[in-house]
Amino acid sequence: MWLGPEEVLVANALWVTERANPFFVLQRRRGHGKGGGLTGLLVGTLDVVLDSSARVAPYRILHQTQDSQVYWTVACGSSRKEITKHWEWLESNLLQTLSIFDNEEDITTFVKGKIHGIIAEENKNLQPQGDEDPGKFKEAELKMRKQFGMPEGEKLVNYYSCSFWKGRVPRQGWLYLTVNHLCFYSFLLGKEVSLVVQWVDVTRLEKNATLLFPESIRVDTRDQELFFSMFLNIGETFKLMGQLANLAMRQLLDSEGFLEDKALPRPIRPHKNISALKRDLDARAKNECYRATFRLPKDERLDGHTGCTLWTPFNKLHIPGQMFISNNYICFASKEEDACRLIIPLREVTIVEKADSSSVLPSPLSISTKSKMTFLFANLKDRDFLVQRISDFLQKTPSKQTGSITGGTKTSVSDPAPESLPTPQEASEPPLSPPSRLSSSPSFSTQEIPTTSQGLLKVFQKNSPMEDLGAKGAKEKMKEESWNIHFFEYGRGMCMYRTAKTRELVLKGIPESLRGELWLLFSGAWNEMVTHPGYYAELVEKSMGKYSVATEEIERDLHRSMPEHPAFQNELGIAALRRVLTAYAFRNPTIGYCQAMNIVTSVLLLYGSEEEAFWLLVALCERMLPDYYNTRVVGALVDQGIFEELTRDVMPRLSEKMQELGVISSISLSWFLTLFLSVMPFESAVVIVDCFFYEGIKVILQVALAVLDANMEQLLDCSDEGEAMTVLGRYLDNVVNKQSISPPIPHLHALLTSGDDPPAEVDIFDLLRVSYEKFSSLRADDIEQMRFKQRLKVIQSLEDTAKRSVVRAIPGDIGFSIEELEELYMVFKAKHLASQYWGGNRSAAVHRDPSLPYLEQYRIDASQFRELFASLTPWACGSHTPVLAGRMFRLLDQNKDSLINFKEFVTGMSGMYHGDLTEKLKALYKLHLPPALIPEEAESALEAAHYFTEDSSSEASPLASDLDLFLPWEAQALLQEQQEGSGNEDTQERREEKGTSPPDYRHYLRIWAKEKEAQKETIKDLPKMNQEQFIELCKTLYNMFSEDPMEQDLYHAIATVASLLLRIGEVGKKFSALTTKKPRDGAHSGDHSSATEEDEPPTPKSHQDPARECQPPSAGDPQAKASGDTHLGKALQDSHVIVEGGSGEGQGSPSLLLSDDETKDDMSMSSYSVVSTGSLQCEDLTEDTVLVGGGACSPTATSRTGGTVDTDWCISFEQILASILTESVLVNFFEKRVDIGLKIKDQKKVERQFSTSSDHEPPGVLG
């Protein structure tokens, strides 16, 4: 790597000069490479502790002139090869030029200019670098990649110096935090520690301080606990680790989040800068916090924030706080939590002006809105820049009337503002009279789609005047009056000042007439509704009549949603609920529909129009209750975990008792999922929902704690779970709202009040007051931290559940133990995830669907399978392994979607590891028949192909269509084949269906039912093998034995067996010659034939060269050839013609597509079968040897006539088995046990799941 020239004063300290010329010196770091001794150890230790650049660059090139004492670094390299390349470039391009110069200073200037030019050339595609020097960070990234063997795609986020506690000894080193891994490296006095943990494996991450580990960070995985301490800035490090672990959890949770987060928002140029990726993560964290604080839409991005004061007219004060600006909003939050909060949508802004500064009011800025409110900010540090930013955003804001920016005095630009008020659709404030808002605002698409344009409560409640309701009516009137006064003082609509007074009013209960409007404001749903006019109507139209699993579940639950309420006892309410839920399932298919959404949505519909209910549901599912309503209700489980943790802190005795009874987990889930709506009388629960929309999840946690606190004595006396649930159920049943003006709705809770005397009634407002008095110390950011901690725990336990489910789904006869299956699952899953980290847009990443059954969620494609097969197979075949892996993949991929799940994967592995000799040979035999053999080879043996239910094309190959043509024609001959043909159509149909519609679980049930019915396959069911397939089988066996200690014996045995089988095949052919053949057999299978051993003169030469025989048959690898090269057999024959015939004929033949190496390999592979013939007595064979095509004397002739392999030659599995049983060395080879555990361990190291050393050099020498 070329470096910007920097001065080096002491050139030889710790370095050894390896090459030199008058202008340049190539040096190697002491202790690197050979030898090293004590100096090497010390230098290595120094490098790690001081973070010397030598860890990355053991080689460097310095520029020097003869009289100068100063050296300049011009290049460094991580390997001798890299540095030599630079050295050679310098010698060939610069040495002659430099020798012309007279002045040494000119030489140095020229060299520096040249090097800078090279670096500029390399970076010309990048935008100009930032202020910081990227060299240091790039160096650390290279070091991390080299040290831990990470691919290019793995981005370093930041690195820190710290200590890792190994036992009780701290090891000082460097902690590298990458997007997907936590890595640590330390090298102290010859002791190396190298550690890699995937973020997806982290089960616990916390900052703690003990006597042993002063202020340390603890990282737990399933099988180890790691402690890191001695950080310069532990807070920053811990925060970053938390963000990265959180991203990893999102990846496990849903693949959508994964694909989104994998490309972290980054500048256009690649990250060379220390702060680029980290800055993005920090920005992401700030954005999330900003959106959560002010309940803004998910796509809102914070542009910046600044300290200022806000003039609050209601108490005549300047309140200090922070102003936040983003694309569409200006927000303000006071330093005191409850003092004031403000949200100004830019679509509302009419005027932004800089007022005159004074000593009382420095740098004031006034912002006016359409609703005639004016906000005065002061003490702004950089007012001009701020006004410019706001002006830029205002210009981009889509609005018929743009806001104006004025310099000092007010101008008449504010005049057009009133014009926008009369049209309710444009004005984004709710008009001042909420009842008229609900009743008069026209429904946007009443003609096309029937939508309820107002809350169902208005429709179904008999409008009796307030006076008739007595005290309750008077109380309701007072509430409305209080809110009207509040609106007058604090403003109404989105731009309302939100203060402690607002919270007080919410806690006293929102009047029924204002509930819908205030829910929309406090939840932020109003913003999205106003900025997406017509979106809901469009969704309803699109989703109408569409069938999915979600719609089926919605239909099932419609009549269970508040059946006691009159609004949902008729079609109007039910239809509205159906439309809202279906539209949401259509908008967000990852959530779709989850039980409990129906209950919450039915309440939203009571207080708002369909469109309003829809946007409230969006706010709930996507912002306020994140991940609550996905298939595994992760969010609710996370908050339930927080609830248990809080119970432990504030009521330790009760917590212990509840854990013992196992109650918390079973009872509190519904509290969170339905916001108490399913467990409390409706009119009481709705008060909790009021507070929830204002305060968020904090209220639900507080109320839950207050409920436990109120029942503590009774719960401590409970003896079992049922009793505890009855106590809590009866208590919640009797929480009443005495102020409700609605007629009481009978509460159909499962635990109906029972016992001698009914329990005392509890007023909901008292319960809320107690919850705030006792438990209001909870803060939003504390809850977020607790959520992160619980999310790790919950998602990892769900992953463990998934693992157990998948392992349980594997049939008992598979042969692996539960532990082995679990280990295999982890390796399989790691491979799937790795493809998503670095695999670009691999098909597996696209296909993952969290709503599928566990077994189908993680799947791998052919290239991933090839990697796993190579590291786990007991049948290592050297460079022939990928070919075998490809065949195994095609054999396992029964539904032909080019992906296999864990069950299929384990079945394949089991065939190689378990079972007796017969089973293993059967697996090997199948690998050399279609569909495992590629279509080109399969076409020469169509009858064998029909043994399998599907056609033999594993992907869309040019031959697939031909095969489809042949299949029905062949199928007419045999009834069995006819049945299988229909099975094939069914599969085709099923595959199409699978591609278009959501997953149908009945489809999986049908598959499993078929699997259960499948008859146990016997030896006799296996089809016979033709000559070409037999050759492939023998190639595989030869490769398999190449690394075995008994190599020679095995070669001899297989040669004997092969020759025996060839004779058996010949004898069999004589019998088959008596029966009349169908002419078309020859026509179709003769074309695509393989090399014919019998054609060639027997040459014992290759028998003596087993090593050469074990060369890989590259041509046999489907990936190695162009798909058009279908005539594999011909190519093999022609290669023989060229090599052995030596006549140079057949110039246009397909063999020219193969490289010399491939030709040689194929020749040596196929010619081993000549050995078989050679080891027979030639006299015994007589004419049999020349039966193939009748032209054995002229190999060239046969190749010209299109390859005439003997189609009658075939061999059965029983014959192969019987022949192999005659050789004890072969029997022993297949019967020896191989421990898969060791292979899994090695594979895990490859996957970087735990400690690894550098692959490049021995650990002791890494210094």
Side-chain angles (χ1 to χ4, degrees):
M1 175 171 101
W2 296 106
L3 298 175
E6 283 184 18
E7 282 190 33
V8 177
L9 293 173
V10 189
N12 293 320
L14 311 180
W15 292 85
V16 182
T17 300
E18 293 209 332
R19 290 191 188 184
N21 61 39
F23 303 105
F24 297 102
V25 181
L26 190 157
Q27 295 186 327
R28 172 178 57 81
R29 188 76 167 165
R30 281 186 199 276
H32 185 88
K34 295 165 194 159
L38 183 60
T39 327
L41 283 182
L42 290 169
V43 173
T45 303
L46 271 173
D47 288 344
V48 171
V49 175
L50 303 176
D51 189 32
S52 151
S53 61
R55 285 301 311 150
V56 121
Y59 299 96
R60 68 179 183 183
I61 297 175
L62 302 178
H63 162 65
Q64 56 145 24
T65 49
Q66 287 175 342
D67 299 335
S68 169
Q69 294 302 307
V70 178
Y71 291 78
W72 299 83
T73 54
V74 293
C76 66
S78 56
S79 66
R80 191 178 292 277
K81 186 179 168 188
E82 183 187 354
I83 207 73
T84 309
K85 194 171 122 196
H86 289 336
W87 179 263
E88 285 167 357
W89 187 91
L90 290 170
E91 283 192 327
S92 57
N93 292 295
L94 285 192
L95 277 188
Q96 275 185 310
T97 318
L98 294 178
S99 57
I100 300 165
F101 286 96
D102 299 328
N103 185 344
E104 290 192 355
E105 277 184 23
D106 292 348
I107 293 177
T108 304
T109 310
F110 179 77
V111 169
K112 283 160 74 175
K114 197 73 180 165
I115 300 298
H116 280 306
I118 295 170
I119 293 171
E121 185 64 28
E122 283 178 355
N123 294 340
K124 74 176 177 188
N125 298 329
L126 310 178
Q127 290 181 2
Q129 296 289 1
D131 304 333
E132 298 126 307
D133 171 26
K136 194 80 176 154
F137 188 76
K138 188 178 177 189
E139 203 174 272
E141 188 163 52
L142 283 171
K143 177 192 304 184
M144 176 274 297
R145 292 223 184 103
K146 174 177 179 289
Q147 186 63 59
F148 303 102
M150 295 284 178
E152 276 292 310
E154 186 65 347
K155 298 282 181 196
L156 179 63
V157 181
N158 213 346
Y159 62 108
Y160 301 94
S161 168
C162 70
S163 285
F164 165 60
W165 291 77
K166 196 162 186 191
R168 298 198 167 204
V169 184
R171 297 293 176 85
Q172 187 67 21
W174 290 87
L175 181 71
Y176 299 92
L177 304 180
T178 75
V179 176
N180 302 305
H181 296 86
L182 171 152
C183 310
F184 177 83
Y185 183 80
S186 163
F187 179 82
L188 289 174
L189 300 175
K191 289 277 173 64
E192 184 184 53
V193 177
S194 179
L195 187 77
V196 180
V197 175
Q198 283 183 311
W199 288 119
V200 287
D201 289 334
V202 172
T203 55
R204 182 175 178 182
L205 181 67
E206 59 188 30
K207 192 163 57 171
N208 51 20
T210 61
L211 283 172
L212 184 61
F213 306 123
E215 216 182 7
S216 62
I217 292 176
R218 172 180 178 168
V219 182
D220 286 9
T221 65
R222 286 179 178 79
D223 41 30
Q224 54 187 348
E225 290 177 10
L226 312 169
F227 289 89
F228 300 94
S229 65
M230 317 261 236
F231 288 95
L232 284 172
N233 186 345
I234 193 165
E236 181 198 320
T237 313
F238 182 70
K239 186 179 161 197
L240 182 57
M241 288 165 94
Q243 285 174 304
L244 292 167
N246 222 346
L247 285 180
M249 291 308 110
R250 287 240 65 83
Q251 293 160 10
L252 287 176
L253 192 55
D254 52 59
S255 55
E256 300 295 317
F258 184 105
L259 295 167
E260 206 179 286
D261 292 338
K262 188 172 72 168
L264 294 162
R266 50 183 70 164
I268 304 148
R269 60 186 178 77
H271 291 302
K272 304 283 178 187
N273 231 339
I274 184 157
S275 56
L277 193 52
K278 182 167 182 328
R279 189 164 56 222
D280 287 338
L281 279 166
D282 290 344
R284 177 188 292 255
K286 277 184 183 164
N287 280 329
E288 281 170 7
C289 182
Y290 169 63
R291 290 195 295 261
T293 307
F294 299 104
R295 308 267 166 80
L296 300 177
K298 287 189 99 169
D299 51 0
E300 203 55 31
R301 296 269 177 276
L302 179 63
D303 187 67
H305 57 94
T306 179
C308 66
T309 57
L310 171 67
W311 169 253
T312 49
F314 50 87
N315 58 1
K316 312 276 188 294
L317 289 174
H318 289 285
I319 296 183
Q322 290 271 326
M323 177 199 265
F324 301 85
I325 296 176
S326 60
N327 326 20
N328 303 300
Y329 298 89
I330 299 171
C331 301
F332 173 85
S334 58
K335 279 186 179 164
E336 275 180 67
E337 202 175 351
D338 276 346
C340 181
R341 191 167 283 180
L342 180 65
I343 300 166
I344 309 171
L346 290 180
R347 61 175 184 271
E348 293 296 307
V349 173
T350 53
I351 298 174
V352 177
E353 64 175 354
K354 295 185 275 192
D356 296 329
S357 276
S358 69
S359 55
V360 183
L361 208 62
S363 316
L365 180 70
S366 134
I367 297 176
S368 304
T369 67
K370 290 176 186 172
S371 53
K372 297 283 192 284
M373 288 180 79
T374 301
F375 303 95
L376 186 62
F377 296 93
N379 293 291
L380 289 157
K381 288 195 183 72
D382 197 347
R383 186 174 62 163
D384 294 346
F385 175 71
L386 197 70
V387 169
Q388 188 53 49
R389 289 305 287 159
I390 295 173
S391 159
D392 293 346
F393 286 135
L394 274 172
Q395 282 169 356
K396 292 176 194 165
T397 305
S399 164
K400 288 188 182 171
Q401 173 220 321
T402 53
S404 77
I405 309 276
T406 64
T409 54
K410 286 195 176 181
T411 60
S412 60
V413 184
S414 57
D415 296 345
E419 289 171 21
S420 64
L421 289 174
T423 54
Q425 289 314 100
E426 274 173 40
S428 54
E429 294 308 321
L432 295 178
S433 52
S436 70
R437 178 180 73 86
L438 286 168
S439 51
S440 67
S441 69
S443 174
F444 40 84
S445 55
T446 15
Q447 292 78 27
E448 307 96 15
I449 299 157
T451 56
T452 50
S453 57
Q454 53 183 1
L456 291 172
L457 212 56
K458 286 243 178 323
V459 180
F460 288 93
Q461 201 170 311
K462 295 159 186 61
N463 284 329
S464 50
M466 288 284 184
E467 292 75 41
D468 298 356
L469 292 166
K472 281 186 179 178
K475 183 83 178 166
E476 187 75 2
K477 204 112 182 85
M478 277 169 61
K479 280 187 193 173
E480 282 182 18
E481 201 49 47
S482 304
W483 275 99
N484 286 331
I485 294 167
H486 185 272
F487 291 147
F488 179 74
E489 283 187 21
Y490 295 84
R492 184 169 190 170
M494 211 66 224
C495 303
M496 181 202 305
Y497 291 98
R498 298 162 197 218
T499 64
K501 183 85 173 38
T502 318
R503 177 197 280 164
E504 271 173 45
L505 281 178
V506 172
L507 279 173
K508 286 177 185 167
I510 297 176
E512 306 252 303
S513 57
L514 294 176
R515 193 162 262 145
E517 176 190 338
L518 291 174
W519 281 3
L520 282 166
L521 291 184
F522 295 148
S523 66
W526 183 247
N527 286 322
E528 287 188 285
M529 190 167 100
V530 171
T531 50
H532 294 82
Y535 175 81
Y536 171 69
E538 205 178 293
L539 266 187
V540 171
E541 210 168 330
K542 279 184 190 167
S543 61
M544 270 173 110
K546 292 270 169 52
Y547 171 82
S548 68
V549 174
T551 54
E552 194 180 315
E553 289 175 359
I554 289 168
E555 283 305 321
R556 199 178 55 221
D557 285 352
L558 282 176
H559 295 278
R560 303 180 194 164
S561 313
M562 295 191 65
E564 63 273 21
H565 198 288
F568 298 100
Q569 287 165 358
N570 70 39
E571 196 42 46
L572 179 65
I574 294 288
L577 184 58
R578 177 188 292 118
R579 282 192 295 271
V580 173
L581 289 172
T582 311
Y584 186 76
F586 199 76
R587 166 192 163 93
N588 189 345
T590 47
I591 289 180
Y593 169 76
C594 168
Q595 277 189 329
M597 278 168 78
N598 59 327
I599 295 169
V600 175
T601 310
S602 54
V603 173
L604 301 178
L605 275 167
L606 290 175
Y607 295 101
S609 70
E610 265 180 53
E611 187 183 16
E612 290 167 349
F614 171 78
W615 286 112
L616 279 169
L617 184 63
V618 168
L620 270 179
C621 295
E622 294 172 19
R623 295 200 306 276
M624 299 187 74
L625 297 174
D627 304 322
Y628 258 57
Y629 300 109
N630 57 24
T631 43
R632 301 189 279 181
V633 295
V634 171
L637 292 170
V638 166
D639 286 346
Q640 188 181 298
I642 295 177
F643 176 47
E644 290 186 29
E645 197 177 320
L646 291 170
T647 311
R648 244 193 327 275
D649 293 345
V650 295
M651 297 174 252
R653 265 181 67 218
L654 181 61
S655 167
E656 212 172 291
K657 178 75 177 176
M658 298 287 271
Q659 291 291 9
E660 192 185 304
L661 298 175
V663 176
I664 289 192
S665 51
S666 52
I667 199 166
S668 60
L669 195 60
S670 61
W671 298 359
F672 290 101
L673 277 171
T674 64
L675 308 174
F676 286 98
L677 286 164
S678 64
V679 292
M680 255 185 209
F682 162 72
E683 56 276 8
S684 307
V686 91
V687 178
I688 294 179
V689 177
D690 292 343
C691 301
F692 167 74
F693 277 122
Y694 188 74
E695 293 262 49
I697 194 64
K698 166 185 168 175
V699 176
I700 307 294
L701 289 165
Q702 285 177 191
V703 172
L705 288 168
V707 168
L708 286 190
D709 187 54
N711 291 283
M712 192 186 303
E713 296 309 318
Q714 283 173 282
L715 287 170
L716 287 170
D717 295 339
C718 289
S719 55
D720 62 24
E721 186 183 3
E723 197 180 335
M725 287 177 81
T726 309
V727 165
L728 289 169
R730 288 181 69 190
Y731 177 83
L732 290 165
D733 269 344
N734 286 279
V735 174
V736 295
N737 178 359
K738 293 173 181 165
Q739 300 174 12
S740 170
I741 56 165
S742 307
I745 295 163
H747 179 49
L748 302 182
H749 187 249
L751 302 164
L752 293 168
T753 304
S754 59
D756 308 329
D757 46 54
E761 288 186 341
V762 182
D763 191 298
I764 180 65
F765 295 103
D766 292 343
L767 180 64
L768 273 170
R769 188 176 43 75
V770 170
S771 81
Y772 270 89
E773 282 169 6
K774 289 193 174 180
F775 308 111
S776 62
S777 58
L778 278 174
R779 291 166 51 85
D781 45 356
D782 294 340
I783 291 176
E784 273 315 304
Q785 277 186 4
M786 290 161 88
R787 269 183 169 169
F788 162 65
K789 190 173 153 188
Q790 293 296 333
R791 196 177 292 123
L792 283 180
K793 207 181 282 181
V794 167
I795 291 181
Q796 294 294 13
S797 70
L798 285 171
E799 286 295 307
D800 289 342
T801 309
K803 177 170 73 177
R804 285 193 295 274
S805 303
V806 170
V807 167
R808 274 203 301 270
I810 306 299
D813 58 357
I814 217 79
F816 291 116
S817 67
I818 297 287
E819 291 73 25
E820 285 172 336
L821 283 171
E822 287 186 349
E823 290 290 320
L824 277 170
Y825 177 77
M826 293 310 283
V827 167
F828 186 84
K829 181 175 125 184
K831 182 58 73 181
H832 169 90
L833 290 172
S835 78
Q836 291 188 305
Y837 298 154
W838 307 308
N841 51 359
R842 281 236 182 116
S843 52
V846 178
H847 280 69
R848 183 179 176 212
D849 178 0
S851 65
L852 287 173
Y854 288 135
L855 191 61
E856 295 292 324
Q857 280 189 21
Y858 293 113
R859 294 181 295 172
I860 58 175
D861 61 21
S863 57
Q864 294 165 294
F865 176 77
R866 208 171 295 125
E867 292 162 21
L868 274 183
F869 182 88
S871 55
L872 295 177
T873 179
W875 296 342
C877 298
S879 43
H880 185 61
T881 308
V883 184
L884 204 60
R887 288 178 191 161
M888 175 70 88
F889 184 83
R890 284 190 291 276
L891 185 66
L892 297 174
D893 181 21
Q894 289 171 355
N895 60 356
K896 299 287 175 287
D897 62 354
S898 302
L899 292 170
I900 61 169
N901 64 25
F902 180 65
K903 186 174 179 182
E904 291 163 336
F905 170 72
V906 171
T907 309
M909 285 292 135
S910 174
M912 297 185 288
Y913 274 97
H914 298 293
D916 53 12
L917 170 78
T918 314
E919 291 299 314
K920 288 181 182 172
L921 281 176
K922 195 159 43 165
L924 195 58
Y925 184 82
K926 280 188 190 173
L927 289 180
H928 297 83
L929 294 172
L933 237 59
I934 45 175
E936 293 91 321
E937 297 164 347
E939 237 185 315
S940 65
L942 269 173
E943 284 151 7
H946 282 302
Y947 164 67
F948 295 95
T949 52
E950 306 256 353
D951 61 56
S952 55
S953 57
S954 62
E955 292 165 287
S957 72
L959 285 167
S961 52
D962 299 37
L963 283 170
D964 291 341
L965 289 173
F966 294 152
L967 282 170
W969 184 14
E970 289 283 342
Q972 289 162 11
L974 293 165
L975 178 66
Q976 180 197 357
E977 288 170 15
Q978 206 167 13
Q979 289 162 348
E980 282 165 3
S982 69
N984 195 32
E985 278 167 40
D986 176 47
T987 319
Q988 191 73 30
E989 199 178 303
R990 201 168 61 220
R991 203 180 314 155
E992 284 163 21
E993 170 199 318
K994 191 173 163 189
T996 53
S997 70
D1000 179 2
Y1001 295 102
R1002 288 172 298 188
H1003 160 65
Y1004 294 104
L1005 289 171
R1006 282 200 296 273
I1007 292 177
W1008 290 330
K1010 273 186 189 170
E1011 281 176 7
K1012 284 205 172 86
E1013 287 165 21
Q1015 295 297 310
K1016 190 77 181 153
E1017 182 181 66
T1018 65
I1019 290 176
K1020 288 189 167 49
D1021 294 334
L1022 291 168
K1024 292 191 171 183
M1025 186 177 264
N1026 69 13
Q1027 205 172 47
E1028 179 190 1
Q1029 294 157 353
F1030 178 66
I1031 290 165
E1032 288 296 330
L1033 174 64
C1034 295
K1035 274 185 193 177
T1036 303
L1037 287 167
Y1038 257 72
N1039 282 294
M1040 208 185 281
F1041 302 148
S1042 63
E1043 295 165 21
D1044 198 274
M1046 304 285 288
E1047 195 174 359
Q1048 290 304 324
D1049 296 347
L1050 286 163
Y1051 282 148
H1052 186 72
I1054 199 64
T1056 314
V1057 168
S1059 58
L1060 179 60
L1061 287 167
L1062 283 167
R1063 287 169 82 179
I1064 292 170
E1066 293 300 333
V1067 174
K1069 190 180 65 179
K1070 282 184 176 174
F1071 285 108
S1072 66
L1074 301 173
T1075 59
T1076 55
K1077 287 189 301 174
K1078 292 177 190 170
R1080 61 183 166 86
D1081 286 347
H1084 292 306
S1085 30
D1087 269 359
H1088 293 273
S1089 55
S1090 170
T1092 59
E1093 309 83 303
E1094 285 86 332
D1095 280 39
E1096 295 157 11
T1099 51
K1101 169 191 79 169
S1102 55
H1103 189 204
Q1104 295 145 16
D1105 188 9
R1108 192 163 163 231
E1109 287 155 14
C1110 309
Q1111 296 287 322
S1114 317
D1117 183 0
Q1119 279 73 25
K1121 291 194 322 299
S1123 58
D1125 178 18
T1126 57
H1127 295 272
L1128 171 72
K1130 238 188 330 183
L1132 280 169
Q1133 279 189 324
D1134 292 346
S1135 72
H1136 281 240
V1137 172
I1138 292 161
V1139 177
E1140 297 196 6
S1143 56
E1145 289 180 47
Q1147 289 302 306
S1149 71
S1151 66
L1152 296 177
L1153 296 171
L1154 305 170
S1155 67
D1156 289 351
D1157 290 347
E1158 286 171 326
T1159 318
K1160 180 183 76 188
D1161 290 347
D1162 273 307
M1163 179 224 141
S1164 54
M1165 284 333 244
S1166 299
S1167 64
Y1168 88 82
S1169 43
V1170 177
V1171 180
S1172 330
T1173 333
S1175 50
L1176 293 175
Q1177 300 302 312
C1178 284
E1179 298 81 37
D1180 297 350
L1181 285 174
T1182 61
E1183 297 100 32
D1184 293 349
T1185 335
V1186 273
L1187 273 169
V1188 181
C1193 52
S1194 168
T1196 19
T1198 55
S1199 81
R1200 281 198 187 130
T1201 55
T1204 50
V1205 160
D1206 186 349
T1207 54
D1208 293 336
W1209 192 100
C1210 63
I1211 198 95
S1212 71
F1213 177 69
E1214 293 103 310
Q1215 291 165 328
I1216 291 179
L1217 177 62
S1219 309
I1220 284 181
L1221 285 171
T1222 61
E1223 294 287 340
S1224 59
V1225 65
L1226 288 174
V1227 173
N1228 295 341
F1229 177 84
F1230 281 106
E1231 288 197 333
K1232 81 173 170 222
R1233 302 272 306 169
V1234 184
D1235 180 13
I1236 195 168
L1238 296 170
K1239 288 189 178 284
I1240 292 173
K1241 238 178 194 166
D1242 293 342
Q1243 170 60 17
K1244 274 191 168 183
K1245 284 189 181 176
V1246 174
E1247 293 289 355
R1248 291 170 289 280
Q1249 285 186 340
F1250 51 71
S1251 301
T1252 54
S1253 282
S1254 165
D1255 307 339
H1256 309 284
E1257 292 157 35
V1261 182
L1262 274 165

